[in-house]
Each structure stands twice: as C-alpha cells, then as structure tokens.
C-alpha cells in the first residue's frame, strides 16, 4: 500500500512543480511584455496554485487507475513510460507555444490556435524559419527533460499484490479527486478567473495554467456563432443602420453635475414581474428617473452583468464572460470613467470566481474587487450563494460614506439573495419567491433611506436595474414582454428632477446613455445606444436564450428559433421585416465578437 501511495504522491507533486516552473519560465521569457519583481513572481505562483493543483489531478487520473489495477494484476514496470512520453510532449508543446505566442496574442493559450493548423502557410508567414526551428528544438529538449524527470522521479515500481482493504481506500479517494478537479463544493467550478489577482494583466496571465486554459476553451467554442450567417455584410449593415448609433445629441440633461459619484446596483432576477412584491422600489420611481420600457438582454447573471457594464449584447449559446480572451476586449464604464480620474470597486457577496467574473471585472478596469472572501466565515454562510444582501448593502453604505470627498468614485454591486433557493431571513409573503424579492426591496429601501441622511447623497447617482427576469407563476418564455421587462431607475441627489423615460431600451444601453449624460465619448461601445439622444431614432430591443432571439420594436415583437429556423411567436404587424432585422442584428454582433 505504502509504495503505491508514494508513487502517486511523487507523480502528482512533480506535475505541480512542473507547472510552477513553467510560470516562471513564461515570465522571464516575456519580461518585455510586463513589469514585475521577485515578489510578483512568488505572487504568481501562489495565486496560480489552485489551478495547477486541479489541472494536475486531471493528469493523475490514468496513473491512479493503473495503480488501482496493480492491486490485483501484476503490471510491467515499463507500462507508464508511453504515458510519460505523451504528457511530456503535451506539456512541452503547451508551454512553448504559450510562451512564444504571448507577445503576439497577449492572451493565454486556447483553442483558437487550432485554426492556424487549417492554414499553416499563412501562420508561418508571420515568423521566420529560424524562429520555428529554434522553437521546435526547445519543444524537443523540453519534452525529453520532462520524460526523463517523470521516468526517474515518479518511475513505476514493481508493485506487489494488494487486498480488498487497499482497494476500498482508492475507491474512497475517487470522490476526493473529483472534488479537487471541480475546485471544491462551491457553486463555481475551477476556472481561469480564480487566479486573477492584480491590475497588471501580465501577472494575471502568468498565473493561468496554459493546459487548463486550452482545454477549457475547447468547451466554449465560438464556432457556434458561425450559424448566424444569413446575409452578406453590406446587406446586414444596411438593415441595421439606425439601430446602433454611437453619437449623443441632447437638448437637456438629467443630472446636476458631470462628475457625480456613481453606484450601479444589479438586482438579482428582479424583473418588473415582481413589482407588487417590491412596493418601495415603485415609490422610488417617483423620486428619480424611471426608464419604464427597459428589457434584459439575456437570462443569466453572467450575461446580464457584461451587457450592463460593457454595453455589449448577449448571445444565445455562449457566455462572453466565460471566454477571457474575448471578455478582456470589452469596453466598460469603469475603463471610461478611469480616464476622468474615477476610482472603482465592485462587490459581489458570492463566489467572485463564478463564471469567470473576477477576470472580467479586473480586465475591464475595476480596480478593487470584494466578494464573500472578505467577510467572516459566519457571514459567508448567511445565504446559499454567500453573504446575504442586508450585510453587503451595509458594506456599500460604508464604502460610500467613508469615501474621500476630494475624489470621484464608481461603485458596482450585485445582490444575490433573490435567487433560488430563496433563503432570506424575513417572512412577509407566503410565496417564497415573492417573499425573497420583498426582502430585497426592504434592504434597498433601508439603504437608500440611510444614504439620504448623509452629505454624500447630494453628489450621488444610483443606477439600479435587474440583471434579468425569471420564469415564475404565469410568466414564462411564451410571455417575453413580461418576462424580459426589467426596472431601470436612476436615483440620488445628482438627479435634476424626477422623470419617466418611455422609450424602448435594453440594459446594454446603460453605458452609452450614462456616459452621454456625463458628456463623455462612447464610440467604443459599438452596440450600446444613448436612448436619450436625438440620434436614437429606431428603438429596438432584443433578448436571447437557448438559441432563440426575441426582438421588439414599435411594430410589435417576434421570437425566432435558430434551430427550427422559424418564428415561434409572432405578434407584429410587420413580422417579415422584424425577423430579417433579428437575424441581421445577431449576425452583426456575432461577427464583431469573432473578430475581437
């Protein structure tokens, strides 16, 4: 028993050490791409360790199974050598390609490099023959050294037969390995974003395990977007002309200042369908600027968050936030306001690594990230998803009231308690779902009421909107006007006077509309419209999920199924034109994402 366990331990630790050594090699070879010191090098090892430990467990699976078999069957000592050769070559290729291509790509190894195998001539045209020869030699030498290391350090001892007790030990170890591969028992599974720790993107990229990055990217294929090719691009752009505008022309302004402190609150699942359960929010609408016809772009938090903060559309089958090499290219409110001197921070009371949220926020300019890890162990378990809302609202209140009055701030905050399993600490309504939104409403009211009593209120703009709606009661996918309708309210002392804006808009229109009011250019937000601008002449909203897309304008709305290739809801007096526009909009945005 002891010999087998020692073999597995040696193999596993060697793999982890190889991954760690590759990180330093990556940093030293790419030192021109980012500044760092010795402390940063150790920080990269520490923050990247969880991903290395998980990835090494994948590599351990075959040796583990062979070790289990050796309890009952006598195996030759050379049996593992072919496997050592395979992983040595795979590691060498991954490390060398990742390190060599980073100066060109500026993102970690992923499945996109496979496309170059389809046109190797074009790919090799970017580098010299000498460059390729040197890299090939490095791959060979690295693979040989790794093979020798595994063969000598891990080896493959001649195991003696075992017994059923030892077999049971290994069976018990299986779920532990699965948990390790998954990354624990929290909602989020192992992902690239969990190792991001710095505003220096080079350090974040250095911490990422290239093997994991490559394998993870294969599960998020952008090939799904190629199905949305319906027209030639000139025709597509002609059909969408006027729908996406990036210019702001205003006759008046909604705000009393161009430099308010700004708080953006994403209310978990709080669609307008729960208006009756949130009476305080309805009263607040009378005090601020209410966008009465706002609709969510998507049906999940990761998609809705990116739509809101980056003004970028969602997609029916993929999440942009889960693809770091794409999400890092997104514009963002934080990045734009940073140019004006704003300090930014984001709070989510749950696992910030969920759906690669951490990597997205850091890459798009949010300087300080707070999550459940910043709370006590007791507070971390006050909700199934993390820290319940009344506690995190208190944190936001503290951040605002203790902020330096001489500086400008942008705060972002995602609530989480209004999410299944709806475990909130109060009981006001019999329906557990509606009761959860009533609790959120109380938290929001208490938060705003307290802020009104502070001097910070006068220069504060609070933007609150839902990340998406949900299916509940009579509201489902067959009622998109009701399910996708979300509140968007601007509140605070920076509001000039209460108003109701009755124009159709998506949550992705927030960046352009907000920046337009601050008299900041927003050209990089290609798909975000300033809905208060005179240039917004074709109000249109879309929402997608599970390979369907809903579109609505002044003529009505339709829902198109890309799998069935037909409309499944038609409530428009101009359905044919609206269907064509629906296809053109998804084609235009898909093309943009693939080119990023």
């Amino acid at each position: 028993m002891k010999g087998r366990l020692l073999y597995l331990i040696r193999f596993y630790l060697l793999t982890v050490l190889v991954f760690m050594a590759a990180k330093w090699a990556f940093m030293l070879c790419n030192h021109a791409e980012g500044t760092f010191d010795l402390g940063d090098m150790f920080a990269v090892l520490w923050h990247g360790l969880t991903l290395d430990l998980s990835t090494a467990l994948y590599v351990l699976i075959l040796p583990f199974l062979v070790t289990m078999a050796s309890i009952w069957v006598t195996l030759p000592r050379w049996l593992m050598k072919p496997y050592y050769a395979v992983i040595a070559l795979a590691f060498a290729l991954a490390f060398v390609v990742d390190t060599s291509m980073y100066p060109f790509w500026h993102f970690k190894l992923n499945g996109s490099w496979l496309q170059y195998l389809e046109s190797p001539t074009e790919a090799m045209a970017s580098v010299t023959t000498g460059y390729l020869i040197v890299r090939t030699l490095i791959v060979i030498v690295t693979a040989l050294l790794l093979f020798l290391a595994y063969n000598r350090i891990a080896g493959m001892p001649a195991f003696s037969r075992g017994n059923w007790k030892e077999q049971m030990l290994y069976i018990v170890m299986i779920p532990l390995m699965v948990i390790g591969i998954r990354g624990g028992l929290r909602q989020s599974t192992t992902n690239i974003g969990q190792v991001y720790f710095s505003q220096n993107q080079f350090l974040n990229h250095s911490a990422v395990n290239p093997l994991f990055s490559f394998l993870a990217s294969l599960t998020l294929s952008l090939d799904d977007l190629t199905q949305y090719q319906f027209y030639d691009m000139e025709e597509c752009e002609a059909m969408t002309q006027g729908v996406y505008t990036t210019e702001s022309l205003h006759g008046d302004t909604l705000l009393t200042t161009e430099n308010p402190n700004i708080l953006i609150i994403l209310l978990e699942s709080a669609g307008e369908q729960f208006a009756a359960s949130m009476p305080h929010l309805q009263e607040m609408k009378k005090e601020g600027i209410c966008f009465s016809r706002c609709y969510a772009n998507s049906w999940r938090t990761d998609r809705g968050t990116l739509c809101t903060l980056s003004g970028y559309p969602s997609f029916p089958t993929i999440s942009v936030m889960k693809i770091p090499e794409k999400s890092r290219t997104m514009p963002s409110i934080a990045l734009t306001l940073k140019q004006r001197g704003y300090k930014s921070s984001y709070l989510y009371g749950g696992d910030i690594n969920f759906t690669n949220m951490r990597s997205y926020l850091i890459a798009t300019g949010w300087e300080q990230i707070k999550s459940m890890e910043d709370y006590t162990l007791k507070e971390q378990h006050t909700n199934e998803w993390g820290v319940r809302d009344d506690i995190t609202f208190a944190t936001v209140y503290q951040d605002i009231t203790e902020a330096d009055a001489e500086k400008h701030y942008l705060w972002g905050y995602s609530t989480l308690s209004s999410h299944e399993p709806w475990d909130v600490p109060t009981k006001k309504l019999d329906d557990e779902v509606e009761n959860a939104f009533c609790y959120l409403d109380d938290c929001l009211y208490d938060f705003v009421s307290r802020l009104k009593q502070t001097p910070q209120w006068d220069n504060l703009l609070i933007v609150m909107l839902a990340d998406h709606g949900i299916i509940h009661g009579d509201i489902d996918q067959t009622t998109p006007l009701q399910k996708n309708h979300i509140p968007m309210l601007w509140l605070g002392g920076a509001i000039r006077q209460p108003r109701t804006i009755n124009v159709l808009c998506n949550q992705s229109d927030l960046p352009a509309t907000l920046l337009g009011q601050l008299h900041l250019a927003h050209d990089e937000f290609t798909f975000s419209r300033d809905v208060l601008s005179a240039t917004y002449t074709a109000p249109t909203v879309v929402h997608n999920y599970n390979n369907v897309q809903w579109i609505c304008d002044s003529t009505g709305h339709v829902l198109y199924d890309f799998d069935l290739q037909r409309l499944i809801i038609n409530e428009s007096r101009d359905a044919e034109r609206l269907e064509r526009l629906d296809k053109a909009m998804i084609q235009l945005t898909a093309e943009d994402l693939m080119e990023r």
Side-chain angles (χ1 to χ4, degrees), residues 356-388:
N356 273 312
M357 184 183 289
R358 184 195 299 275
S359 66
Y360 162 70
L361 291 172
I362 291 177
T364 54
W366 293 89
E367 297 170 328
Q368 184 179 22
I369 310 297
K370 297 181 180 179
S371 67
M372 64 187 296
E373 298 173 354
D374 296 290
Y375 292 85
T376 66
L377 189 60
K378 181 180 179 181
E379 290 171 329
Q380 291 178 23
H381 295 90
T382 50
N383 181 274
E384 182 69 24
W385 286 84
V387 186
R388 70 173 188 250

Side-chain angles (χ1 to χ4, degrees), residues 35 42 66 69 112 144 169 239 251 276 279 283 337 366-367 397 446 472 474 516 530 558 561:
T35 58
F42 280 103
V66 169
S112 63
L144 180 60
L169 172 64
M239 282 190 286
E283 288 299 314
L337 290 182
W366 293 89
E367 297 170 328
Y397 175 84
D446 178 69
H472 179 65
D474 296 330
D530 181 349
V558 301
D561 189 309

